[in-house]
Amino acid sequence: MSKIRVSLRKAIIASGLKNGMTVSFHHHLRNGDFVINMVMSEIEDLGISDIRIAASSFFPIHGSLVRHIKTGTITAIDCNYMSGPLAEAVTNGMLQKPVMFRTHGGRPRAIMDGSLKIDVAFIASPSSDDMGNLNGASGPSSCGSLGYAMPDALMAGKVIAITDNLVAYPNGPVSIDETNVDHVVVVDSIGDPSGIVSGTTQVTRDPVGHVIARHAADVIEASGLLKDGISFQTGAGGASLATAHYLREKMVSGGIKGSFGMGGITAFFVDMLEDGLFEKLIDVQCFDLDAVRSIRENPNHIEVSASQYANPSAKSCSVESLDVVVLGATEIDTDFNVNVLTDSSGNIMGGSGGHSDTAQGAKLTIIVANLLRARLPIVVDRVTTKVTPGETVDVLVTERGIAVNPARVDLMKSLKEKGLPVVDIVELKEMAEKMAGKPRKVSFTDRVIGFVEYRNGEIIDKVYQPAKE
Amino acid sequence: MGKKNAKAGSLESSDLLVVIEEKEAGEKLEIVMNSIVEKQYGDRIIEIAHEIAALKGMDNVRILIQDRGALDYAIRARIETAIERYERGV
């Protein structure tokens, strides 16, 4: 029997979606995604309401969802990251129920253990055959890895693949296979390539970022982990990617060959794979065109599910084999707790993504950050929102010094022996406040707008609505 | 003849743009400020602007400040420069 439905509307009807159900989406099309908006607007037109929308992440392009909150089509949101107008609307208290913020590993855990029950999963598919064998590596809207969609495909009641690139049966390679797909819908376009992947991710030219990055690479070297077989993950942002640049130099000059790079894969990591500095890449999401090409062509560039990437309830997952991760922060407190979810004024602007997963998994977790970001001290007494617990963070590297978690006595000793500028984290906070002045405390209402669910399912913090001034 | 005005600074991160405009004769000093760190440092920025305006005897102008998270010394320098330019008619 054919799985092709003549329209998205017919597929939604065939899925049996009803009021009060949960729909899910993946975010590999990032800020170029057309699928979430297209599906939610169809759901609203069908008169279905009180929907929980569970996406791995939301971006500015999903601003039209604000309209569906106003009309009552959407009444609950689960995600691992949220930015743009939707985040603004949630910050302003538009959604009655608090948003459930998970991590990239916590989400598949919740899906697999049934605490996030998905009724209908909608899978944006850059390539599909008529039976729903899917991959993300080819087609006009190719995005590379489909890792975040895999748990949804496995566990959802019904699965609808939405593609703009129907290919002859059987499609291959297969990221998500036909045994899990109920319906296939062909549409004109699932995304805007310019928003899906960036061109080539550039290493920052900010000199302060380079000071931080050089120190971070020195910390990795001093930790003793810089040796054959090293595994490494970093974000694509400023100082994080620059750290990869300096680590690469150290690997080249020391003749060191790594086992794997993981991420969020960028061109920088593809180059390291192709230049023989890593044996493999483990890829749950591609950030740029080179990563998409590499995952398509290179068998050593391995696509993994969100579960294999970071699910703490899985029998094992990749973050547990990770040596070093370099991450950013919007705030870090004197107990090393990190906030990447709200800004210092309490506005929602992100989420954990894989932050807390990799921090817990890696042997060495380094936070890189400018001591001040637009005047605001990065080190605070207590983070506005606790996303990554301080006990999973080892080092904070700033341009004014390196603070080591006091629990890592061994690391503190080796950094000092190597002559690195180690300072107490409280000292960094005081330094920042001396330059910028002590920030006035932001006030909050007692209205909860979000829960922070740690990767193991524990609620470790609540997000409160900031007070209007 | 148009009203006198002058500006200094930029809208780059960690900088600020200061615009000074002449007001109608007899009108009082007015300071208009917005900042990405208004909640944390807004009062401080207004305080600095008042302090410099008083020091320079500016009482018939509107001072518009668009702050992108500048530090105090940058705020002082931009306001002082804008006032100097205003007075020289640059």
Side-chain angles (χ1 to χ4, degrees):
Chain A
M1 206 179 88
S2 171
K3 289 183 181 173
I4 300 277
R5 302 290 162 256
V6 294
S7 66
L8 179 54
R9 173 177 287 242
K10 286 273 187 333
I12 295 171
I13 294 169
S15 76
L17 185 72
K18 291 187 178 57
N19 293 353
M21 284 187 168
T22 297
V23 298
S24 87
F25 300 90
H26 68 87
H27 76 276
H28 295 95
L29 302 182
R30 303 205 297 167
N31 202 35
D33 173 55
F34 293 163
V35 169
I36 293 184
N37 294 344
M38 173 192 315
V39 170
M40 292 318 296
S41 132
E42 202 64 55
I43 289 175
E44 176 150 330
D45 288 351
L46 280 164
I48 302 170
S49 65
D50 193 22
I51 290 293
R52 174 178 293 269
I53 178 168
S56 43
S57 297
F58 293 104
F59 292 92
I61 198 170
H62 301 121
S64 69
L65 297 185
V66 174
R67 178 164 57 89
H68 303 305
I69 296 174
K70 279 189 188 143
T71 57
T73 303
I74 297 173
T75 55
I77 298 177
D78 291 41
C79 66
N80 312 338
Y81 177 99
M82 173 189 280
S83 65
L86 183 62
E88 210 175 294
V90 172
T91 300
N92 291 333
M94 189 180 282
L95 194 69
Q96 289 308 308
K97 292 177 198 160
V99 170
M100 183 63 93
F101 287 100
R102 294 197 174 83
T103 73
H104 283 340
R107 183 176 189 272
R109 175 202 47 74
I111 292 172
M112 305 304 276
D113 73 16
S115 46
L116 172 56
K117 188 180 157 291
I118 299 167
D119 295 296
V120 184
F122 294 87
I123 300 182
S125 312
S127 140
S128 172
D129 61 31
D130 61 346
M131 287 296 151
N133 290 299
L134 318 176
N135 74 56
S138 52
S141 308
S142 55
C143 60
S145 177
L146 286 182
Y148 295 122
M150 292 176 185
D152 305 46
L154 210 57
M155 298 301 288
K158 296 289 176 197
V159 175
I160 300 176
I162 300 173
T163 189
D164 54 7
N165 178 36
L166 190 70
V167 300
Y169 185 93
N171 190 19
V174 178
S175 300
I176 289 170
D177 73 65
E178 60 183 310
T179 63
N180 292 310
V181 177
D182 296 275
H183 310 288
V184 178
V185 180
V186 182
V187 297
D188 289 340
S189 175
I190 60 168
D192 167 15
S194 71
I196 298 172
V197 286
S198 41
T200 297
T201 328
Q202 299 286 339
V203 173
T204 179
R205 286 163 62 183
D206 167 30
V208 176
H210 277 269
V211 171
I212 296 169
R214 208 176 300 132
H215 276 152
D218 289 342
V219 169
I220 297 168
E221 187 171 29
S223 74
L225 292 166
L226 183 61
K227 54 187 183 209
D228 277 338
I230 184 175
S231 57
F232 181 63
Q233 175 165 349
T234 177
S240 304
L241 195 63
T243 304
H245 167 80
Y246 288 105
L247 184 71
R248 180 192 165 112
E249 282 187 354
K250 286 181 193 292
M251 289 172 75
V252 170
S253 67
I256 292 159
K257 182 157 185 163
S259 54
F260 68 90
M262 187 159 69
I265 295 297
T266 57
F268 196 87
F269 273 57
V270 170
D271 282 345
M272 288 182 80
L273 175 69
E274 290 173 356
D275 294 344
L277 292 160
F278 286 127
E279 297 277 358
K280 301 273 174 36
L281 294 181
I282 295 181
D283 188 345
V284 70
Q285 179 187 11
C286 295
F287 278 149
D288 55 34
L289 289 168
D290 283 326
V292 175
R293 171 190 54 80
S294 170
I295 204 170
R296 186 169 55 231
E297 294 172 358
N298 193 336
N300 290 322
H301 186 148
I302 306 163
E303 179 181 21
V304 295
S305 71
S307 255
Q308 185 182 345
Y309 173 49
N311 178 355
S313 296
K315 291 177 182 175
S316 74
C317 62
S318 303
V319 296
E320 292 161 8
S321 294
L322 187 61
D323 287 333
V324 182
V325 67
V326 178
L327 299 164
T330 57
E331 295 174 322
I332 178 166
D333 65 30
T334 48
D335 292 325
F336 288 83
N337 298 305
V338 176
N339 176 18
V340 285
L341 203 161
T342 50
D343 66 18
S344 299
S345 301
N347 304 302
I348 296 168
M349 42 58 64
S352 172
H355 198 285
S356 31
D357 300 300
T358 50
Q360 190 177 44
K363 292 191 185 76
L364 174 65
T365 298
I366 302 174
I367 304 293
V368 287
N370 292 38
L371 194 56
L372 299 175
R373 179 179 290 119
R375 187 164 188 168
L376 293 167
I378 198 87
V379 187
V380 295
D381 289 316
R382 185 82 184 87
V383 282
T384 308
T385 310
K386 178 177 167 178
V387 175
T388 294
E391 59 264 29
T392 63
V393 173
D394 300 305
V395 186
L396 165 66
V397 180
T398 73
E399 74 278 23
R400 303 272 173 159
I402 300 169
V404 182
N405 190 326
R408 292 297 307 267
V409 182
D410 56 324
L411 193 60
M412 182 113 58
K413 190 163 163 275
S414 31
L415 296 197
K416 280 182 177 163
E417 276 169 12
K418 291 276 172 6
L420 291 174
V422 176
V423 291
D424 193 285
I425 195 164
V426 177
E427 231 174 284
L428 284 178
K429 184 183 90 91
E430 285 164 357
M431 235 185 266
E433 286 177 355
K434 207 174 149 194
M435 283 191 269
K438 208 172 164 60
R440 206 182 61 176
K441 258 192 140 34
V442 173
S443 48
F444 289 86
T445 68
D446 53 11
R447 164 105 191 269
V448 177
I449 54 171
F451 291 115
V452 183
E453 190 188 88
Y454 192 51
R455 57 196 301 253
N456 63 3
E458 190 190 334
I459 302 295
I460 56 169
D461 206 354
K462 293 176 185 139
V463 185
Y464 291 91
Q465 186 181 353
K468 294 256 184 295
E469 310 227 331
Chain B
M1 202 180 99
K3 289 215 167 52
K4 266 172 79 176
N5 70 75
K7 57 185 163 188
S10 76
L11 292 174
E12 295 293 317
S13 180
S14 302
D15 199 356
L16 70 160
L17 181 66
V18 180
V19 178
I20 301 190
E21 294 169 353
E22 187 179 15
K23 295 186 74 172
E24 296 295 336
E27 283 185 348
K28 282 199 181 111
L29 171 69
E30 181 187 351
I31 293 171
V32 183
M33 187 270 313
N34 70 63
S35 168
I36 55 167
V37 290
E38 197 162 331
K39 283 185 177 179
Q40 292 87 353
Y41 295 104
D43 295 347
R44 177 81 192 128
I45 297 167
I46 300 255
E47 190 186 312
I48 293 172
H50 272 291
E51 188 191 308
I52 298 174
L55 204 70
K56 303 274 182 185
M58 305 296 287
D59 48 15
N60 190 38
V61 294
R62 180 183 293 113
I63 302 180
L64 299 155
I65 298 173
Q66 288 169 271
D67 172 59
R68 292 289 178 271
L71 296 175
D72 281 0
Y73 60 77
I75 295 169
R76 285 180 186 282
R78 294 305 191 193
I79 297 174
E80 283 178 18
T81 304
I83 290 175
E84 271 172 37
R85 286 176 181 166
Y86 178 84
E87 287 179 332
R88 280 188 315 190
V90 177

